[in-house]
Amino acid sequence: MPPRPVPHRTIAVVLAGGTGQRIGLEIPKQLLKIAGKPILEHTLHVFENAPDVDEVLLLMTPAYLEDARRIVERARLGKVTAVLAGGSTRSETTRIAIRAAAERLAEGEDCNLLFHDAVRPLLSQRVVRECVESLERYQAVDVAIPSSDTVIVTRTHGDDGEFITEVPDRSRLRRGQTPQGFRLSTIRAAYERAAADPFFQATDDCSVVVKYLPDVPVHVVTGDDYNMKVTQPVDVFIADKLFQLASHAAPAQAGEAAYREQLAGRTMVVFGGSYGIGADICRIAEGFGARVYALGRSTTGTHVENPAHVEEALAKAYGETGRVDYVVNTAGVLRVGRLDETDNDTVREALEVNYLAPVNIARTSYKYLSETGGQLLLFTSSSYTRGRAEYSLYSSTKAAMVNLTQALADEWAEDGIRVNCVNPERTATPMRTKAFGQEPEGSLLTSESVALTSLDVLLSEMTGHVIDVRRQDPTSTPAQRSGFEEALANVLIQTTEDQGV
């Protein structure tokens, strides 16, 4: 069997040449803030976190080059190797990017180029991966989604307005997105031919290949509905809400060796560590070599709503180990019932435990986590996206955890602290059983699986994310699930033996 060819180097080109004048903005729309960060920063983070992307070139509106460079520096975007002035048109900007990419290669070397609109900040890693994979087989790739609307062709008749002249078959229509991907040699050849055409004009790069290299097929990768382009004022509002509700699949399971390597010698403080998910996080992390402080009302007398208890717990962990790497809060109370029938003490308990306690844990943890570049991990519930009748206090405080996570991740990014939030499906825990009684076997997540996913998040470089945990994550492969189960089984067996059970 011949050896598999080495994949081409992939350079992402982020096109940020818009000025915002079309929608009456004083600054380019890519610099508008959504979910606490400029749109441009969100977009750059997609490629920074993409394993299939080796380098990023940023083409920026010339008058705002320094603004772009400050964003790159502040966000520590190591893959961005150049911030260049874009051209006056999309095609001129593409030509600049082609030259810049070619200068980074040895003579005769080819690479993949992914051209992406800076104002499409909700691009998924799946689309990036599939574009790169397709470029190992095809020379040109576009991203598109089926048109959900009927598209009509019109013609204007004087003062009478527009009239339909054609209604194309919607089943064959697609709405184009980005990235658009090419072999460097292909897109360069297309633009060289276009340069000889005195009537050349284009608003995207695939059309240049289609017109000037008609023998080159352009493969289509299926995009995502939420990979929207922020163009109109209403788009800013929609994108902001999508970011607020956005969640992410859990990172790939690290495997037993990686867990041991990364957790050994680290200090983890878990509030709510008496039972359920918190207890399993403690048990598994300890089995992999972490120094764990499991804190709970029923075991250590730690009341998370008491600031003095929180400070005492963190100070003790720091004093005994000299560091605090991870702070986890799984503590919570769930009281079911109509709000108008809920007494003051129950309301106060829900707010103090579910909201004020995580706020205080975060405030107190800051000085320790900033020293280690550690992570704060909070927990939400699937009810955060829409309040549920009969447990309004619980669902509203869980929504607050998402906002707190996103805000703190932004506030503390420059201090090297990561903040994330785990969103498990319905999970078999004592708290849930107390509230809802016994539920059908197999209908709930196990607390162990949520705990191991939580460790994956703690060991990742993610920050500001809501991570969904589901009974069967469709993004995980059988091999990943097998590794997950093996690592879990090994550590639980070892822990049981150590306890003499």
Side-chain angles (χ1 to χ4, degrees), residues 336-337 387-392 395:
V336 179
R388 305 290 195 267
E390 302 292 322
Y391 47 114
S392 56
S395 59

Side-chain angles (χ1 to χ4, degrees), residues 90-165:
R90 168 65 180 265
S91 55
E92 184 182 343
T93 299
T94 296
R95 287 191 174 100
I96 294 171
I98 291 171
R99 288 195 297 270
E103 291 171 356
R104 283 159 166 72
L105 304 177
E107 186 175 352
E109 186 182 359
D110 210 350
C111 72
N112 299 327
L113 290 183
L114 297 181
F115 293 91
H116 185 67
D117 298 324
V119 288
R120 291 187 188 270
L122 289 156
L123 173 65
S124 71
Q125 294 294 342
R126 176 194 67 80
V127 170
V128 175
R129 182 181 66 253
E130 290 186 11
C131 283
V132 174
E133 289 173 350
S134 295
L135 284 173
E136 293 307 308
R137 182 176 179 184
Y138 304 99
Q139 299 178 52
V141 175
D142 200 358
V143 173
I145 59 174
S147 176
S148 57
D149 297 315
T150 297
V151 176
I152 61 174
V153 180
T154 67
R155 179 174 296 172
T156 301
H157 290 273
D159 296 334
D160 293 331
E162 290 184 300
F163 295 84
I164 294 177
T165 60

Side-chain angles (χ1 to χ4, degrees), residues 209-393:
V209 173
V210 169
K211 182 173 182 178
Y212 296 101
L213 297 177
D215 294 331
V216 174
V218 180
H219 179 67
V220 178
V221 167
T222 302
D224 294 311
D225 287 330
Y226 50 80
N227 183 19
M228 61 179 292
K229 186 175 184 180
V230 179
T231 303
Q232 303 298 330
V234 67
D235 297 334
V236 177
F237 173 79
I238 294 171
D240 195 64
K241 289 301 177 185
L242 287 174
F243 265 108
Q244 184 182 26
L245 299 177
S247 60
H248 298 257
Q253 281 80 44
E256 184 176 355
Y259 289 133
R260 293 193 185 281
E261 180 182 351
Q262 296 185 67
L263 285 171
R266 301 294 193 274
T267 299
M268 180 182 297
V269 178
V270 181
F271 294 97
S274 298
Y275 58 83
I277 296 170
D280 286 325
I281 290 174
C282 294
R283 181 170 46 158
I284 298 171
E286 196 165 36
F288 286 130
R291 294 169 295 193
V292 178
Y293 290 79
L295 305 157
R297 182 176 301 190
S298 60
T299 52
T300 61
T302 303
H303 293 245
V304 290
E305 67 273 26
N306 187 326
H309 286 192
V310 172
E311 175 59 56
E312 180 183 348
L314 288 165
K316 179 182 179 183
Y318 183 81
E320 293 180 354
T321 68
R323 60 188 300 136
V324 173
D325 299 277
Y326 308 110
V327 177
V328 181
N329 180 52
T330 65
V333 293
L334 171 58
R335 303 286 185 254
V336 179
R338 290 172 55 94
L339 183 62
D340 57 281
E341 297 173 355
T342 304
D343 60 61
N344 290 337
D345 288 341
T346 301
V347 171
R348 185 180 301 107
E349 178 193 42
L351 295 178
E352 288 181 347
V353 175
N354 292 346
Y355 181 67
L356 292 179
V359 168
N360 187 59
I361 289 170
R363 293 175 63 205
T364 310
S365 300
Y366 172 82
K367 61 184 178 183
Y368 301 107
L369 295 177
S370 61
E371 190 174 302
T372 58
Q375 183 174 162
L376 171 66
L377 187 64
L378 303 174
F379 278 74
T380 186
S381 156
S382 59
S383 63
Y384 86 87
T385 59
R386 181 178 176 84
R388 305 290 195 267
E390 302 292 322
Y391 47 114
S392 56
L393 290 172

